[in-house]
DNA sequence: ATATTAATGCAAATTATATGCATCTAATTA
DNA sequence: TAATTAGATGCATATAATTTGCATTAATAT
């Protein structure tokens, strides 16, 4: 997402632009792969911002509720987030090292009409996750 | 999964066939949609088997480690399981009522070769999740 | 029937996440 | 620019999912 546009549209809605909020939005505007609360905390520490975990959770919920982030479930007991403005894509999750890469190819939407006709299920969103071994891990093992 | 075959193959590997194990395997052999630990507990209570939560978690881990179950992540902070022997399929997750249905159409595997050629990422598994509104919930709202 | 060891229950520990409340601070106003 | 005010934050605590240590129980082989 665009840093300045996001911040000013939040401000227009009456929300405050704080040090924490600015940095979290910045992080997601610079990262295209999903980040967990812990990873966001780490990134903030890297720029010497020590922020309470509760605050980070609250800020993620806030940006989620306001439509700037979406939740991603790639692993047990860990929710990640990514910008909702990213082009539709799927994830390549390396089950060895955890690295995540994005792919933008998508055939899945072709299924949507079919599913609605046959089952009356109106698809609003879908996620396609790939699990496997990334090139780097394959090299290390072989 | 097949109840008898699963149990006897577990026994062949030197594992015991206990009341709990038998019932958990039975539950997953009769259910094609993903179940969380809590849902497994409920199903056991329905047949008057009151089993400690730790035991249920251990049994799920056990069946996962032995390849009879796979993990499914459909919602924040909740891991579900389903039989690993089910035909490849995807889930229709109703975001209103939580109902889960399976679809067996799948175009995703067509992407696999392409991804390997372009990125060296060897896909071992993929999951395709659909979020939306099921026919029943649509009827109630409209 | 008995011995052996896996499975179980219970309590306590862990980890992710949420919440109450007092304090602080960004944005507004005088 | 200082005073005002509600939103944001930190801290401690709560909650929920899951794991683990340990003593006890029970499935299976002998």
């Amino acid at each position: 997402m665009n840093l300045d546009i996001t911040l000013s549209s939040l401000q227009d809605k009456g929300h405050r632009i704080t040090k924490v909020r600015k940095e979290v939005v910045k992080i997601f505007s610079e990262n295209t792969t999903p980040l967990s609360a812990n990873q966001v905390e780490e990134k903030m520490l890297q720029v010497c911002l020590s922020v309470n975990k509760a605050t980070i959770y609250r800020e993620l919920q806030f940006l989620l509720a306001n439509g700037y982030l979406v939740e991603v479930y790639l692993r047990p007991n860990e929710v990640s987030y990514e910008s909702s403005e990213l082009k539709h894509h799927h994830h390549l999750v390396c089950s060895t090292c955890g690295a995540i890469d994005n792919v933008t190819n998508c055939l899945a939407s072709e299924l949507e009409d079919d599913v609605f006709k046959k089952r009356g299920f109106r698809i609003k969103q879908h996620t396609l996750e790939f699990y496997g071994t990334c090139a780097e891990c394959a090299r290390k093992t072989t």
Side-chain angles (χ1 to χ4, degrees), chain A residues 24 27-28 35-44 56 60:
Chain A
V24 172
I27 285 169
F28 282 103
L35 300 172
S36 65
N38 279 326
Q39 292 173 313
V40 170
E41 186 187 32
E42 282 170 27
K43 298 234 171 232
M44 303 200 77
I56 292 178
L60 292 173

Side-chain angles (χ1 to χ4, degrees), chain A residues 91-109:
Chain A
H91 302 113
L92 300 180
V93 182
C94 177
S95 28
T96 306
C97 71
I100 298 174
D101 200 357
N102 293 353
V103 268
T104 52
N105 313 48
C106 179
L107 301 175
S109 46

